[in-house]
Amino acid sequence: MRTPLTVRLFQSLPRTAWLALAIFAAIAWIAIPAAHLLLPESSALHVSAYTVTLMGKILCYAVVAVAMDLIWGYAGILSLGHGVFFALGGYAFGMYLMRQIGTDGSYGVMLPDFMVFLDWKELPWFWIGSDSFLWALFLVVAVPGLLAFVFGWFAFRSRIKGVYFSIITQALTYATMLLFFRNETGFGGNNGFTDFKRILGYDITSPQMRLVLFGLSAALLIAVLILGRYLVTSKFGRVLAAIRDAESRVRFIGYQPTQYKLAMWTLSAVLCALAGALYVPQVGIINPSEMSPANSIEIAVWVAVGGRGTLIGGVIGAFIVNLAKSFFTVSFPDYWLFFLGFLFIGVTLFLPDGVVGLWRKLRARRPAAPAPTGTAPAVATEQPAADTPPPAASTQGARA
Amino acid sequence: MSPSLHHLLRILWLTLCCAFGSAHAAPSAETLARLAADDSDTRIAAIAELGAEGSAQSVALLDALADEALALTGDGRLVILTDTGALDAASGSAIAPYPDDAEPLMVNNRVRNALQSAKAATNIRATDRATRLAAAQLLRDSAGEALMPILEPALDAEPDKEIRAILALAVARVNLASAEPAKRIRAAELLGDSSDASVKAMLAALLDKDGNGQFAEPDAEVRAAAKASILAIERRLAIADLASTAFTGLSLGSILLLAALGLAITYGVMGVINMAHGELLMVGAYATYVVQGLFRTHLPGYIDSYVLAAVPVAFLTAAAVGMLMERTVIRWLYGRPLETLLATWGLSLVLIQTARVIFGPQNVEVANPSWMSGGVSSFADIVLPWNRLVIIGFAIFVLLLVWLMMQKTRLGMFVRAVTQNRAMAGCVGVPTARIDTLAFGIGAGIAGLGGCALSQVANVGPAMGQGYIVDSFMVVVLGGVGQLAGAVTAAMGLGLMTKILEGWAGAVVAKILVLVFIIIFIQKRPQGLFALKGRFVED
Amino acid sequence: MLTVDNLNQYYGGSHILRNLSFEVPMGQVTCLLGRNGVGKTTLLKTLMGLVPSATGSIQLAVDAQARDLTRAPSYARVKAGIGYVPQGREIFPRLTVEENLQMGLATCPARTTLPDRIFEMFPVLLKMMRRRGGDLSGGQQQQLAIGRALAMGPKLLILDEPTEGIQPSIIKDIERAIRTLAATGEMAILLVEQYYDFAESLADHYLLMERGEIILRGRGDQMVAHGVREALSV
Amino acid sequence: ADTIKVGVLHSLSGTMAISETALKNVALMAIDEINAAGGVMGKQLEPVVVDPASNWPLFAEKARQLLSQDKVAVTFGCWTSVSRKSVNPVFKELNGLLFYPVQYEGEELEKNVFYTGAAPNQQAIPAVEYLMSKDGGEAKRFVLLGTDYVYPRTTNKILRAFLHSKGVKDEDIMEEYTPFGHSDYQTIIANIKKFAAAGKKTAVVSTINGDSNVPFYKELGNAGLKATDVPVVAFSVGEEELRGVDAKPLVGHLAAWNYFMSVKNPTNAAFIKKYQDWAKKNGVPNADTVVTNDPMEATYVGIYMWKQAVEQAKTTDVDAVIKALGGQTFKAPSGFTLTMDKTNHHLHKPVLIGEVRADGQFSTVWKTKEPIRAQPWSPYIAGNEGKQKL
Amino acid sequence: MSTAMHDTIASSGRASDSRVLRPGELDLTHKVILYLEDISVSFDGFKALNNLSLTIDAGELRAIIGPNGAGKTTMMDVITGKTRPDTGKAFFGQTLDLTRMSEPEIAHAGIGRKFQKPTIFENHSVFENLELAMKTDKRVWKSLFAQLTGDERDRVSDTLKRIRLQAEADRPAGLLSHGQKQWLEIGMLLMQEPRLLLLDEPVAGMTDEETERTAELFVSLAGQHSLVVVEHDMSFVEALGGQVTVLHEGSVLAEGSLAKVQNDPRVIEVYLGR
Ligand SMILES: Nc1ncnc2c1ncn2[C@@H]1O[C@H](COP(=O)(O)OP(=O)(O)OP(=O)(O)O)[C@@H](O)[C@H]1O
Ligand SMILES: Nc1ncnc2c1ncn2[C@@H]1O[C@H](COP(=O)(O)OP(=O)(O)OP(=O)(O)O)[C@@H](O)[C@H]1O
Ligand SMILES: NC(N)=O
Ligand SMILES: [Mg+2]
Ligand SMILES: [Mg+2]
């Protein structure tokens, strides 16, 4: 009596979570479009193009954060190079967007401007087919997926772990960034791709297109959350967590950790890439700085702020950090780094398991209020830091 | 010599000249006027004249021009501006009132070149050996036919062997164009002693054929001599090339090492993923800057020793910042290494912005003290810059310090024990909290020392640390976390490799290749160069 | 002499130690027995300050001078004279054997030398001085852990299942050594042991724990009479 | 509203803060000054400062925010070309108005952008011409050294074409790039030395940008490459950058700009004084040593030109202002009266070449007689013929 | 060992005779399940194993004793693929060369191990620990869709009962006491259903009564499984009743019944003491 997969997918999320996702979907697919298109700009409830783009951008970041949490939170593999997959997804789709410009560029020819400028007479081979939407979608998945697969295959096979893995992912993104900086590489150098005009022939700046992209980002996030939840509650997820905690032990009971890690790693990279592909048309530019090491570290920071190993924490973290950034850079342009810095410090000190951890603690405290004897002081309920480190942080992760 | 002292001497000299009358006649008014001409050619001719004439007053005039102290007043008079007043250029007498409208004569590189040659032509007759040596070196590279009347007598009169050799080369360079084949042969042979690529080019030009297949140098013997000399020079240049690559690699390695050593403690030994490491470097660098400022205002006479004072200050400041960080933030995160990543990332943002608020967003100027400026010329035109030499030495010093601290002291043992098993360390009586603070402080202080050294070669600005953090982690990790010897090897290896690749493929591609190398290397050594081995590693 | 009074301890919501009161007198061996999971290790960790005690007090009297250690940090307890051999060895894996032993001297002035007694008891340690602790075999590590605790000459020695993984001949040595140490009258010994015969032969006093409480106590020679072995096998 | 909002879009954090912060300052100063003089059309200007944090997508986001949320009438901002490229579509879409104050590579003309910095023919080409002149040392061999991104790459491409047209052969041109933030110039300087040793007079054209300049010049000084032997002319090194270096070993090296702080004329003296006072009053760090530089002047000029155009158009409406801007003139601190070109949105600018002095200022050794017109589409790049206007 | 037991093993051996073995399958034609010959392992010049030779028959229950540092754990490391021997042969059955297989391959072939220091998945519940260890298809794709059948649930419950951790089934395993962890690890080993069980000091930290239970358990497993047990507890070794091998300085010092080795003066000298 096997339960069908769909049912299990459904069961992997608690009812409240489904409800929350439904509300989220309703807001993203109905309320916001309506408020953007139908309400007049003067209305207090009008959602501006700015807000839609901003939210769309953060939704993409949230997908990246969830992808990061899958590999970091659940498999204990801290990638400091996830930006490379995000950016490659963006570039893959950006190539299509560049081709859609057609002859509207400043040189008025079919070649992208930067190629004209480099005296290239025709498209380099790796641009072939980039005018096809489907091929672009294929590239979005295939290129980062393949890179992740090959990179992961070698790394996991060599049993590179912890910080060693983190550092080579950093080297990967850094090297790729430098490579893309070069004009000769064929992706527009430092300027990257920008000034997009159309997708599938439709004007990229039209409100409808904006909403479609926004809606797709929301859909991707929902899908990633459901998929992620299914994965981490499946046996696959449990094996992965076991690998995180005691890899050699897992080997001795007959699992091949390499394959498990590789599967999750590649999936995570592909999810990032999809987010990148949706991100680029919304923000209107992709350039190599997306692959800078600092950007990738920030992804980890979102997850940590929200709460690692919780999936939803990534979403929350991405929203908190990026909204804070958007707000502070305008309201306190000279001091916003202080706010952000103290936010990070505060979260680690006072919310060791991120925002989600705080929420859980608050919830756990309520039923626990009538403690067994009532005399137990709070200190004793605390995990003794010296003795048994909190499970989530004991051995795995960025440390050898 | 400081500029003001220079001025003072000049005034003194001019005063003397005026008081007692000079042995030479004063430069003619006409020459003076030509000095201030619009047209550079005229001015340069006038400069050459003054140089050849070589009178004390001419020298003073040339010096003033070089210092941009020679000015033209509104009414067309040439004056020499000093810190205390103005002197008439023609007479040397003081002028009152101070000519407010005096515009210093423009000196561009061409004029400056002419001034230097003129100066050298005078100085080659100086009594002071060092002055003559400098002049000879200048003449070696720039002498032309016109200077032969000065060069040859100078060569004959020169008592010093080294200077004579240099002058001989200078003469030979000129003689290479001589009409007499014998002179040319002799010159071509002599030039084989040079290690100068430009000499090689000059000799090679003799072997060129013109459109009719005629050699530029008609005499076969001269050509043979030139060929032999070219080979000799090339051999020397090849060695020089190798040596210079090795030196630059070593130098880059020492900088990487200094940048990484602090991290080797805070991260390598203590396990704190210290994203604020770069900012601790910055603290050290700014401390150096502040010390420099204090010396400039309070101890201008000792400005050259400011770096020495800055070393302990940088250490202590960074250590204090580090200890504060440990006490307030990192302390609560032991056993949760990944959270340290987040918190120290936050700390780094705060430190950057703090620096920006205090010192401004721009880079600040940290000057090399004079003993760290310039370089030692070793053979074949390789200049080993003093600041880099000093930094290599300093890296060795800091390395030794760290090694002694970690391996030879009880503190070092406690630190290692605490990070391996904090609870148990407490249970054998180690005051873990104090050790943590101290150790982090020392690690931070070492980073401060790194910053002090970096201030001597690179930017000092709020964001400077960000540029080192990636490299530092690469060094520590590539070497094998917690392995000092590994960090040293990694830093030197990366330094040399970068420099070799850079010479071959350019900086950008070299950087990419180095990163790719790191990725591949870790596949072979998944625990870094000096991997910890033993049965406990896996568990 | 160690005096524990009314000690309570919680992990999360669960009450692990319940109102424990007992003494560990000088010059005598006190054995703490109890089945798996009753809270023996927790008690010792509480004594060492590794887990904060919720209520109760811990006093250590050395040379007629009593100190309250209830809230003291671990290292202060060690400084007061407690030596601890934890369950699971807890040696410093990347320090050499020699350094591990020297860590045992952390509270002593620098340059204090290691007592020969350690090497007499565990000659293998002398042979492996330069090897890293983590490379030793399980039993060797256990010996190292005991040696480390003895290095500073503690006034109170706390041992958590010290014979685990040690070969029989050395267990006999340890037994003899503990007896000698106690006999000097300058050391109090608190021994947690599952190995009944070993415990019985050493115990001057015994304490039997059951679900966080001491349910039986007495002199060592009463263990048979009180049916301790039977109580352990229910 | 009774104020006119003005956007200031410069990075105050991240890698570009080092250069752009001063532009924000000078923009605020100009706005204060205009307000003190009664504002524009009787309305006070209200600056809206945002920090795009050297992050290019964030530039686009902030631009959109300025235009659609804050409804600014005009924006002064950007430094790097990529940031400009990133905001261009936004300004186009929302029909905003951007003043871009930095020298750049050209190859662009946007209806919504006014370029107050130099195009290549207003900086790079005259500089190289100078190097080839007698006074410039009659350089025959050139090292084109830059940071690896579009501005240096483009500029060097144009220069190479220009040098070809002057008969310089490819073997006499060495082109080298370093990554952003590169800090070790030992190899490159050794290579330059080698290249220069070939006998012909050699000069270096540096388009090194930002943070790499300090290590470059320090190395240059210590390696004994003197300006009299191998002069370096830089396009991105101004007074602000020289504040971070000990300038003594650099004396004689060159920079080409359209303005130097050392230029002596009453307008400039007043400009400098105003800025220094403003810095002190507003607590700018190191206020007693602040300097002015070319992009700051360009920002300042831009703000005033915009003010004049608004007053002429009698509205802040973007299209009307764009129309009114063509032909505006302004007496700039450089001592010249600058004109906004009628058709190509670029300023006519004078070119000044200066040599570094020991105090970190420049002494002008050459300048054009009058402002020259910008050629955003360089004639040295194929396919640009006949593109000089919008 | 009873003859009946021998028969079952022998018949299973014959069964495999009658058909072609698939690659990777255990071949017990000569009743030997584990065959070590001349194994040497050295660390920085120190010989932890020194020409060690040892054979274990299918269904056998073998105790290994020997001084601390004799090389017992190292031997298990070699068998499970954790340490590669410098020289020597190690075969599982007739055909499987252990020195060429990876840890998961060895585990898959049917060797399970309990470590000297209990190692379990601390963040997983006790139940999940057992579930993960359970014999099943352990490839990625299967685990993505794996679901516990009723049967499998029962097996986990049975084991839980056997190791007396029913009450702790849903607690994180990291919170168990030392002795409980020992039991859990034994439970995991049982779930794996290996042909050969390697047990490194399984009763350390257990009470005498539990030690007895463990001995009973092992004896009951012998026959269907082969067991190699390392222990220092002589009463436990006695209760196991099987052959005893004494290791010393990396090679076999003595072999035979417990009574025999206990009276061997060399064993008394280096191991048992007086
Ligand atoms: N960190 C913890 N959080 C919650 N419960 C814990 C924790 N550590 C131990 N326990 C529980 O406390 C109880 C007592 O554990 P303790 O380790 O003190 O037992 P013990 O008597 O030493 O057992 P053993 O003889 O097996 O070593 C056990 O039930 C254990 O599950
Ligand atoms: N990686 C290593 N480096 C150095 N020595 C090692 C290493 N691994 C094992 N040894 C040494 O090899 C010897 C054998 O160790 P092993 O753990 O096999 O002993 P054991 O028989 O299991 O002992 P015990 O009964 O104490 O568990 C020991 O002396 C140990 O110190
Ligand atoms: N346009 C520039 N200087 O990047
Ligand atoms: Mg215990
Ligand atoms: Mg063992």
Side-chain angles (χ1 to χ4, degrees), chain C residues 41 87 160-161, chain E residues 178:
Chain C
T41 299
Q87 186 163 32
D160 200 347
E161 308 199 19
Chain E
H178 181 70

Side-chain angles (χ1 to χ4, degrees), chain E residues 35-54:
Chain E
Y35 177 84
L36 303 180
E37 186 186 310
D38 277 344
I39 300 271
S40 289
V41 171
S42 57
F43 301 104
D44 307 322
F46 175 84
K47 283 215 159 182
L49 292 182
N50 191 3
N51 292 323
L52 172 70
S53 299
L54 187 74

Side-chain angles (χ1 to χ4, degrees), chain A residues 383 388, chain C residues 11 14 16 34-43 87 161 194, chain E residues 171 175-180 205:
Chain A
Q383 290 278 359
T388 11
Chain C
Y11 276 138
S14 52
I16 304 288
R35 281 180 299 117
N36 293 138
V38 296
K40 305 178 297 292
T41 299
T42 307
L43 169 61
Q87 186 163 32
E161 308 199 19
Q194 297 281 15
Chain E
R171 292 185 70 197
L175 302 184
L176 297 181
S177 80
H178 181 70
Q180 291 168 323

Side-chain angles (χ1 to χ4, degrees), chain A residues 3 230 238 249 253 255 391, chain E residues 119 123 131-132 138 144 147:
Chain A
T3 331
Y230 172 76
R238 286 194 290 282
R249 187 70 178 100
I253 54 177
Y255 295 94
Chain E
T119 46
N123 292 322
E131 181 208 347
L132 288 181
K138 291 180 172 170
L144 274 174
Q147 231 185 325

Side-chain angles (χ1 to χ4, degrees), chain A residues 1-5 8 11 159 230-231 234-261 263 383 388 390-394 396, chain E residues 80-82 102-105 107-108 111-115 119-124 128-129 131-134 136-141 143-150 152 174-175 185 188-189 192:
Chain A
M1 39 138 253
R2 308 226 122 204
T3 331
L5 197 63
R8 290 174 59 203
Q11 285 169 347
R159 298 200 186 166
Y230 172 76
L231 286 179
S234 71
K235 184 173 172 199
F236 173 76
R238 286 194 290 282
V239 175
L240 217 51
I243 293 171
R244 170 190 75 195
D245 296 345
E247 178 166 342
S248 70
R249 187 70 178 100
V250 176
R251 239 180 258 128
F252 285 115
I253 54 177
Y255 295 94
Q256 297 273 9
T258 310
Q259 295 173 3
Y260 280 81
K261 292 201 248 182
Q383 290 278 359
T388 11
S394 51
Q396 73 281 14
Chain E
T80 51
K82 188 178 179 194
S102 72
E103 292 111 312
E105 282 165 352
H108 208 254
I111 296 183
R113 174 175 185 185
K114 188 212 152 297
F115 288 81
T119 46
I120 47 162
F121 304 120
E122 308 227 329
N123 292 322
H124 289 67
E128 287 170 342
N129 266 277
E131 181 208 347
L132 288 181
M134 182 160 49
T136 171
D137 192 330
K138 291 180 172 170
R139 281 170 300 180
V140 171
W141 194 247
S143 78
L144 274 174
F145 307 105
Q147 231 185 325
L148 280 184
T149 60
E152 288 171 331
L175 302 184
E185 207 183 4
M188 289 168 73
L189 204 53
Q192 253 180 287

